[in-house]
Amino acid sequence: MEFSVSALHELESKVENLSDTISAKLRCGKLQDLTSDLFKHKSVTKELLTTIVLQMGTLICDSKMVLRSACEKIDEQKSDLIQTKNELIKCKSVKLEAVKETVQSEMKSFSDVVKSKSVSSGLSPAKIKMAVHSAMRDEDRAKNFIIFGAEEELECEEEEMSDKDLVKDIFGIVKGGDERSIIKCERVGVKKSTDAKRPIKVTVKDAETVRDVLSKAKILKSFQSPGYNFEFCNLFLSPDRSLEERISRQNLVKEMKDMIKKDPNKKYYIRNNRVCVAEKPTA
């Protein structure tokens, strides 16, 4: 008898019938009330006990067959389940690898973009591509910094100097970064008037150089500029921010100016995308 739902019901019915038969023959209400004294009754003959034992033997054999078949079925289902799980894992790995290869073809470093993040199968190729381009722009901006306030026509000792010469001098003054890491210097925007001072975007080899230079840029505020046709203290160095970041920064600056007007006796500064305040040191 193989394991099945109908086989279990059939086996249950046989057990129930045999239980009722034994209870009736031995004159006990239910099988749980069976005691050794009931076997001493005159009606309990050898033939009756033989019949009961034979029926129980048949039932035990049927039960063993069903139980053995059930164990085999369960083991088989467990094996199928494990195989299915392995196939799902393999299929998921193949899909993730395919997405990874697609992303790597669009950017320099996949790991920098999807760090501690999973790729959702619900993302469309267009959204993935948009995310990749956005990550690439963020990665590129991290290697840039902006110089504000530099004259369009730079001079030192009455000789013309290029924007790159200016950047090299800044590197030397703040002693931050290696000037050999400078890749490109270019003015941003269209020159609209002779008085305009377009920002200079500086691109270097790595983001660490940018962080190093910006962290020491305050040195320019106290640097004397003999021989130059501009003052280094009038230059302002900034990260290369996205449009959203620039708008957020402008709002923070406006908020800080409003706070200064209300209480000029405190020192205000922007840190971690919020306006911070500190008491000015007393004389």
Side-chain angles (χ1 to χ4, degrees):
M1 184 182 295
E2 291 188 355
F3 171 76
S4 65
V5 175
S6 59
L8 282 178
H9 285 308
E10 183 180 348
L11 190 61
E12 180 186 19
S13 179
K14 288 181 178 181
V15 171
E16 187 100 21
N17 291 336
L18 181 58
S19 176
D20 291 342
T21 299
I22 294 174
S23 299
K25 295 292 184 181
L26 299 181
R27 298 180 181 181
C28 62
K30 50 186 178 179
L31 206 59
Q32 290 92 323
D33 299 330
L34 191 64
T35 62
S36 58
D37 292 334
L38 294 175
F39 289 89
K40 297 176 183 179
H41 196 275
K42 293 181 179 180
S43 61
V44 181
T45 63
K46 182 178 180 180
E47 290 181 1
L48 176 61
L49 292 175
T50 300
T51 300
I52 292 174
V53 170
L54 289 175
Q55 290 177 338
M56 291 181 64
T58 301
L59 186 59
I60 290 171
C61 290
D62 290 343
S63 299
K64 285 174 62 178
M65 292 175 61
V66 172
L67 290 173
R68 186 181 297 113
S69 177
C71 290
E72 291 174 355
K73 292 280 188 182
I74 292 173
D75 288 338
E76 182 178 327
Q77 290 178 356
K78 284 173 63 178
S79 178
D80 290 342
L81 181 61
I82 292 172
Q83 184 177 354
T84 301
K85 284 185 176 180
N86 290 336
E87 289 176 356
L88 287 173
I89 292 172
K90 184 178 179 181
C91 181
K92 185 177 180 180
S93 298
V94 170
K95 288 183 177 179
L96 288 177
E97 190 63 27
V99 172
K100 182 178 177 180
E101 290 176 0
T102 301
V103 173
Q104 284 178 329
S105 67
E106 297 284 344
M107 62 187 298
K108 299 174 184 177
S109 176
F110 177 81
S111 60
D112 290 339
V113 179
V114 295
K115 192 182 296 179
S116 303
K117 291 185 179 180
S118 60
V119 180
S120 171
S121 59
L123 291 177
S124 67
K127 288 183 179 180
I128 292 175
K129 196 169 184 178
M130 186 183 299
V132 169
H133 285 309
S134 176
M136 288 177 66
R137 288 193 295 272
D138 290 342
E139 184 179 34
D140 289 340
R141 275 197 298 270
K143 298 176 183 178
N144 301 334
F145 67 91
I146 310 296
I147 302 173
F148 294 94
E151 299 290 340
E152 290 282 338
E153 304 296 334
L154 298 168
E155 292 182 7
C156 180
E157 301 294 343
E158 298 184 354
E159 292 185 4
E160 291 185 5
M161 60 185 293
S162 65
D163 293 337
K164 189 169 185 178
D165 290 332
L166 171 64
V167 177
K168 287 181 179 179
D169 286 352
I170 290 175
F171 271 48
I173 295 169
V174 302
K175 295 181 174 56
D178 185 347
E179 65 179 42
R180 292 174 297 181
S181 68
I182 301 171
I183 296 176
K184 184 172 59 174
C185 304
E186 59 182 353
R187 294 278 176 168
V188 180
V190 179
K191 187 175 181 179
K192 297 181 179 179
S193 68
T194 55
D195 297 329
K197 297 178 182 178
R198 291 174 298 164
I200 302 173
K201 182 167 76 172
V202 182
T203 302
V204 295
K205 288 183 179 179
D206 54 73
E208 182 62 35
T209 298
V210 173
R211 288 192 291 268
D212 191 19
V213 172
L214 293 179
S215 67
K216 300 174 181 177
K218 59 185 177 182
I219 296 175
L220 296 175
K221 296 302 178 184
S222 59
F223 182 77
Q224 301 299 318
S225 313
Y228 292 92
N229 68 332
F230 62 91
E231 296 291 335
F232 278 90
C233 63
N234 293 329
L235 300 181
F236 175 69
L237 274 56
S238 165
D240 183 13
R241 298 185 175 96
S242 65
L243 176 60
E244 292 79 6
E245 291 170 335
R246 292 199 298 273
I247 293 174
S248 176
R249 183 77 178 187
Q250 289 170 358
N251 291 334
L252 287 172
V253 170
K254 183 179 182 302
E255 180 184 348
M256 185 173 68
K257 288 180 178 179
D258 292 341
M259 294 172 70
I260 292 173
K261 287 181 180 179
K262 291 180 180 179
D263 190 352
N265 295 320
K266 294 180 180 178
K267 179 183 178 181
Y268 300 91
Y269 57 95
I270 297 174
R271 180 177 294 172
N272 297 329
N273 293 321
R274 65 188 184 91
V275 178
C276 301
V277 59
E279 296 291 341
K280 286 185 178 180
T282 56

